[in-house]
Amino acid sequence: MFFMMGINEGRKELNYHQMIVCDHCGAYGQYRVFMTYTVLSLFFIPCFKWNRRYFVQTTCCNTIYRLDSEIGKRIAKGENVEIRPEHLQGMERAGSRIKRCGQCGFATTEDFEYCPKCGNRF
């Protein structure tokens, strides 16, 4: 008897789009949600999926955040869910905060008191 099996990584784009103002670059964009998983295939037919993880990618600067698995499961089921910053991992960096100039839009993580681009106070 001859068996053909394999274990592969897979990625599936989920049908979800949410308009945002990006916290990373400050531009308008969308959240796009995708799921990664590991799959066992037997004779090239996917039989068993495990290790599901959900991610969000912004369309403006392609920043990727890890999404809370409960929210990801609800999106995969087709529910209309709003993604909030507390659902994302990787937005807050330890000890750093993104500052954005209200005049010119320059963004930095440095602890400047004045904008290095236009000179206005942050």
Side-chain angles (χ1 to χ4, degrees):
M1 183 160 241
F2 178 70
F3 284 103
M4 192 145 186
M5 61 187 290
I7 297 176
N8 296 317
E9 295 290 319
R11 175 180 166 146
K12 180 181 179 184
E13 299 286 332
L14 300 178
N15 187 18
Y16 183 85
H17 305 287
Q18 176 180 328
M19 295 299 292
I20 58 152
V21 174
C22 183
D23 289 336
H24 189 261
C25 70
Y28 287 106
Q30 290 183 351
Y31 281 152
R32 301 247 171 120
V33 180
F34 64 93
M35 174 181 67
T36 61
Y37 54 88
T38 306
V39 62
L40 172 70
S41 300
L42 185 61
F43 294 109
F44 305 106
I45 300 171
C47 296
F48 182 68
K49 292 180 186 176
W50 72 94
N51 198 24
R52 290 182 173 100
R53 292 176 293 182
Y54 299 92
F55 296 93
V56 172
Q57 184 173 14
T58 60
T59 58
C60 50
C61 61
N62 292 324
T63 303
I64 297 178
Y65 303 106
R66 188 169 183 153
L67 181 62
D68 181 37
S69 62
E70 292 301 316
I71 301 299
K73 288 176 187 175
R74 290 176 59 192
I75 291 171
K77 289 179 184 176
E79 292 182 29
N80 189 11
V81 179
E82 180 184 355
I83 297 175
R84 297 186 180 159
E86 60 264 17
H87 299 145
L88 302 174
Q89 297 174 3
M91 290 186 77
E92 293 288 330
R93 293 176 184 86
S96 68
R97 183 173 165 251
I98 296 175
K99 287 184 173 181
R100 188 166 319 282
C101 177
Q103 183 69 26
C104 69
F106 179 77
T108 183
T109 58
E110 299 293 325
D111 193 25
F112 294 132
E113 202 169 319
Y114 294 91
C115 176
K117 187 172 180 183
C118 69
N120 286 328
R121 190 179 193 110
F122 275 110

